C-alpha cells in the first residue's frame, strides 16, 4: 500500500479549480470521518440550497454503494466525494446521468492519468483489468437536484483480501496527489455537467463503445425482481442495457447489476 499522508485541503483543491468553474462550486466541506458524504448532503439540502455543494471525507464509516451495497471506505488513501448539482432544465433520468458521468470520468482517467485500459462495466463501474477502480452513486431528494457520489481507489491496503478491487497506485505505480485529483474530478464535472444538461446523453454516448467492458460477452443481469442470462448487445440511446436473452429476444434494463458468466 502506498502511504499517503497528505490531508484533504479545500484551499489546495480550490487552487486547482479553473476560474471558469469556480462559480459552480458554492461550498466545500471536508471531514476526516463521516458516515457517508452522500448521506451528509442528502440530509442538508432543501429547496433553497444552491447547486455546487461538495462534501469530501478521508474515510466513511457507512459508505454506500449502488443497490444497497456497502462501499469500503478506509482512511488515508482514497477519494470519497459528493457533489450536489441542480439541473435547471428537466431533471435527467438517473440511468442516463450515471452513464454520462461514467464516460466523463473514464475519459478523464484515460487522458490525464494515461490509463489506456480503463473500461466501464455497465452502468457505471470504472473498471481496469476486470477489477473495480471506482464507482458512482446518484441519489435525489424529491425533485431538488442530484447528489453525485464518487468513490475512487487511490491505494488499497495489501493486508485485506480485495480480489475484485484495484487502485490507481496498483495501475500506474505512481504516487497521486489526492487534492490535485479531487480538483481534476470537480473540474471535469463542472465542465461536463452543463453540456449534459444542454445536449443530454447523446453527446457522451458516442464514446461508450471505447470503454464498454461487456458488449458481446455472456452476462447475467440481476434486478430486484429477477436474474436473467444472455449476451450483452450494448446500450440504447437512454443508456439502458440491451440483453439478448437465451431465447433470442432483446430485453432492456435501465437498472441492475451485471456479472460475466463463466
Ligand atoms: C458503487 O456501488 O459502485 C457506487 C459507489 C459510490 C461510493 C461513493 S464514495 C462517496 C459517496 N458516498 C457514499 O456513501 N457513496 C459514494
Amino acid at each position: 500500500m502506498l502511504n499517503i499522508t497528505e490531508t484533504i485541503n479545500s484551499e489546495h483543491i480550490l487552487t486547482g479549480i479553473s476560474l471558469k468553474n469556480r462559480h459552480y462550486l458554492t461550498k466545500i466541506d471536508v471531514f476526516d470521518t463521516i458516515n457517508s458524504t452522500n448521506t451528509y448532503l442528502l440530509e442538508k439540502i432543501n429547496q433553497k440550497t444552491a447547486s455546487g455543494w461538495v462534501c469530501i471525507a478521508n474515510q466513511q464509516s457507512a459508505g454506500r454503494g449502488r443497490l444497497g451495497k456497502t462501499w469500503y471506505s478506509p482512511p488515508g488513501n482514497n477519494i470519497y466525494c459528493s457533489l450536489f448539482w441542480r439541473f435547471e432544465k428537466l431533471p435527467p433520468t438517473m440511468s442516463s446521468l450515471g452513464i454520462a458521468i461514467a464516460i466523463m470520468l473514464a475519459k478523464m482517467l484515460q487522458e490525464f492519468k494515461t490509463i489506456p485500459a480503463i473500461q466501464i462495466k455497465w452502468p457505471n463501474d470504472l473498471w481496469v483489468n476486470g477489477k473495480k477502480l471506482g464507482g458512482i452513486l446518484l441519489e435525489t431528494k424529491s425533485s431538488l437536484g442530484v447528489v453525485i457520489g464518487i468513490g475512487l481507489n487511490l491505494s488499497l491496503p495489501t493486508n485485506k483480501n480485495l480480489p475484485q478491487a484495484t487502485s490507481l497506485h496498483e495501475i500506474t505505480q505512481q504516487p497521486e496527489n489526492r487534492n490535485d485529483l479531487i480538483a481534476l474530478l470537480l473540474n471535469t464535472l463542472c465542465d461536463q455537467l452543463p453540456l449534459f444538461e444542454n445536449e443530454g446523453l447523446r453527446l457522451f454516448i458516442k464514446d461508450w463503445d471505447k470503454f464498454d467492458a461487456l458488449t458481446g460477452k455472456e452476462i447475467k443481469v440481476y434486478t430486484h425482481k429477477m436474474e436473467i442470462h444472455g449476451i450483452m448487445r450494448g446500450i440504447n440511446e437512454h443508456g439502458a442495457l440491451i440483453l439478448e436473452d437465451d431465447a433470442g429476444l432483446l430485453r432492456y434494463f435501465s437498472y441492475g447489476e451485471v456479472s460475466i458468466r463463466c
Side-chain angles (χ1 to χ4, degrees):
M1 178 174 93
L2 181 71
N3 202 4
I4 299 173
T5 48
E6 172 212 15
T7 51
I8 301 169
N9 179 302
S10 58
E11 295 298 316
H12 184 145
I13 293 168
L14 270 176
T15 59
I17 302 293
S18 69
L19 283 180
K20 171 176 90 59
N21 285 336
R22 280 192 200 167
H23 80 273
Y24 285 119
L25 302 180
T26 45
K27 199 170 179 189
I28 301 182
D29 286 342
V30 175
F31 295 92
D32 179 52
T33 306
I34 199 167
N35 53 2
S36 149
T37 54
N38 263 38
T39 305
Y40 174 79
L41 288 181
L42 284 169
E43 284 172 354
K44 295 278 175 197
I45 54 174
N46 60 42
Q47 297 290 351
K48 293 188 185 132
T49 309
S51 182
W53 189 350
V54 179
C55 177
I56 308 163
N58 181 45
Q59 67 178 311
Q60 299 183 118
S61 55
R64 295 184 293 106
R66 290 177 56 246
L67 305 175
K69 291 187 187 163
T70 297
W71 186 255
Y72 177 58
S73 309
N77 306 303
N78 300 317
I79 290 178
Y80 314 113
C81 176
S82 300
L83 166 67
F84 171 60
W85 194 269
R86 260 183 211 284
F87 289 92
E88 298 302 330
K89 295 187 184 168
L90 280 182
T93 62
M94 286 297 125
S95 53
S96 67
L97 179 61
I99 299 272
I101 294 175
I103 294 170
M104 293 171 201
L105 299 188
K107 281 180 85 172
M108 175 195 94
L109 290 166
Q110 193 177 61
E111 284 170 23
F112 297 101
K113 295 286 137 196
T114 54
I115 303 175
I118 185 83
Q119 290 190 304
I120 302 169
K121 175 176 169 264
W122 185 91
N124 46 32
D125 285 358
L126 296 167
W127 242 30
V128 176
N129 301 327
K131 293 180 176 185
K132 192 152 167 171
L133 174 66
I136 299 160
L137 176 65
L138 302 179
E139 295 181 292
T140 51
K141 187 164 144 187
S142 60
S143 58
L144 288 176
V146 184
V147 173
I148 300 166
I150 295 168
L152 197 61
N153 300 329
L154 266 54
S155 167
L156 291 168
T158 43
N159 60 352
K160 289 262 175 194
N161 186 25
L162 301 165
Q164 316 274 27
T166 188
S167 67
L168 272 184
H169 182 243
E170 189 182 7
I171 298 159
T172 66
Q173 297 296 314
Q174 300 288 322
E176 290 295 340
N177 182 302
R178 198 159 42 151
N179 290 306
D180 289 347
L181 199 55
I182 293 168
L184 175 65
L185 186 74
L186 292 173
N187 269 325
T188 301
L189 293 173
C190 293
D191 283 338
Q192 313 261 321
L193 288 171
L195 297 177
F196 175 80
E197 181 156 20
N198 287 325
E199 309 281 337
L201 186 57
R202 192 177 59 83
L203 191 71
F204 297 88
I205 216 163
K206 57 183 168 37
D207 289 314
W208 173 261
D209 291 349
K210 268 200 285 215
F211 298 115
D212 178 11
L214 299 177
T215 292
K217 296 216 163 49
E218 277 194 58
I219 58 169
K220 259 190 209 172
V221 182
Y222 306 84
T223 69
H224 294 306
K225 293 189 210 132
M226 59 174 153
E227 175 187 319
I228 177 159
H229 297 161
I231 298 176
M232 163 80 165
R233 294 295 184 207
I235 59 174
N236 72 5
E237 71 274 26
H238 307 294
L241 180 148
I242 307 169
L243 182 83
E244 182 181 337
D245 71 14
D246 293 344
L249 291 175
L250 293 185
R251 294 168 174 250
Y252 297 80
F253 295 86
S254 53
Y255 75 95
E257 182 71 359
V258 173
S259 72
I260 296 182
R261 261 167 101 180
C262 300

